[in-house]
Amino acid sequence: MGTTLREIVLGSVWGKALTEAELARVLGDTRERDFPAGGYVCREGDAVDHWVGVIEGLLKLSRVSESGKLTTFAGVSTGTWFSEGSLLKTERRRYDAIALRDSRVALMPRATFNWLLDSNFAFNRFLLQQFNERLSYFIAMVGHERMLEPDARVARCLASMYNPHFNLATSDRLRISQEEIAYLSGFSRQRVNQALGVLESAGLLKVDYGEVRILDLQGLRDFLG
DNA sequence: TCATTAAATTGTT
DNA sequence: AACAATTTAATGA
């Protein structure tokens, strides 16, 4: 609790590379907004005019298909930015971003984003790396598409919370409730609870109150049931 | 520091 | 979806 926009920016590789003046402009241009648990941070179809960063909390990026099927693309948390794809293409938003718990987000205007893009080398490299991470993530997702076994999907859902580029989990203690894991993975809380039991028996993690302790990250990634 | 209470989370049906 | 049990956090003596 108590994370600030300044800390988020200075904690990122591109933010560290900013001059005082550049940092001042970024912090001055970017506004903050709070969202309650369950609130829509943005909706599919909206015009995209901000780069969105999570200052505090947990969001899920998901989409409901025309046939009504819910697909969750990713969970994003403190320090993660998203929306750059649609900003660059000037297209409408392609997914919803929903707060899973009370959250605070940063909204960087398009003009500021474009200015960084035009002037800052570290920012460009960061974006390039981010696109690369996303590409790897979706390639892996396609590869596992047929893997419908809930235990394995919950395992991968948890493992996906560990990616240094997105500043997600830094310790082996993942502070996330089983209900939130359920929203992220698309299963019922009961099924998640059952899956966690299986993964705990396999020695991959330890279930605690309000958190999951990751004991074997690679084991979670490789888990097939 | 301890006891009490409310809220959140979990385990189970 | 509902319920009881457990854990945490907040409060005040």
Side-chain angles (χ1 to χ4, degrees):
Chain A
M1 284 210 300
T3 317
T4 64
L5 170 60
R6 187 187 186 85
E7 287 167 353
I8 295 303
V9 173
L10 288 178
S12 67
V13 289
W14 59 272
K16 282 192 184 77
L18 297 175
T19 65
E20 283 296 324
E22 288 173 327
L23 176 64
R25 171 165 176 186
V26 165
L27 296 180
D29 289 354
T30 304
R31 62 192 179 89
E32 303 182 29
R33 244 186 103 185
D34 287 298
F35 292 89
Y40 278 78
V41 174
C42 35
R43 290 175 185 272
E44 182 191 359
D46 283 351
V48 177
D49 37 31
H50 291 96
W51 197 36
V52 187
V54 183
I55 298 173
E56 208 160 74
L58 177 66
L59 316 182
K60 76 166 179 176
L61 310 184
S62 60
R63 183 173 186 277
V64 181
S65 73
E66 288 174 24
S67 58
K69 187 172 180 252
L70 175 78
T71 307
T72 298
F73 299 119
V76 297
S77 187
T78 302
T80 305
W81 293 80
F82 60 95
S83 248
E84 63 282 346
S86 294
L87 264 186
L88 287 169
K89 289 169 69 179
T90 323
E91 67 183 4
R92 301 216 156 237
R93 191 172 296 288
R94 311 183 69 158
Y95 49 81
D96 299 318
I98 302 169
L100 296 185
R101 62 178 81 147
D102 293 349
S103 300
R104 177 176 305 122
V105 304
L107 300 168
M108 181 193 291
R110 170 190 295 278
T112 314
F113 178 88
N114 283 335
W115 163 70
L116 283 171
L117 194 63
D118 288 340
S119 61
N120 192 294
F121 182 80
F123 188 73
N124 279 269
R125 179 141 76 181
F126 175 84
L127 280 187
L128 194 58
Q129 193 178 342
Q130 178 140 322
F131 281 121
N132 200 29
E133 292 293 338
R134 290 258 162 75
L135 184 59
S136 299
Y137 179 80
F138 286 114
I139 287 176
M141 235 183 178
V142 171
H144 300 136
E145 201 172 40
R146 288 186 299 167
M147 183 194 68
L148 299 175
E149 214 269 305
D151 297 342
R153 300 235 323 249
V154 169
R156 283 182 197 285
C157 175
L158 291 173
S160 78
M161 299 303 287
Y162 284 82
N163 181 323
H165 175 82
F166 295 110
N167 291 313
L168 291 173
T170 46
S171 87
D172 60 341
R173 289 169 164 256
L174 195 55
R175 288 233 284 278
I176 187 171
S177 72
Q178 298 185 10
E179 187 174 32
E180 290 167 338
I181 298 172
Y183 282 127
L184 278 182
S185 63
F187 295 112
S188 67
R189 185 170 68 75
Q190 292 91 323
R191 190 60 187 83
V192 167
N193 182 265
Q194 186 185 330
L196 289 176
V198 170
L199 299 174
E200 183 169 43
S201 302
L204 302 176
L205 52 79
K206 172 84 169 60
V207 177
D208 282 322
Y209 185 84
E211 71 177 31
V212 175
R213 236 190 8 263
I214 305 299
L215 303 178
D216 182 355
L217 182 55
Q218 197 55 48
L220 282 176
R221 292 193 174 116
D222 299 340
F223 187 82
L224 290 174

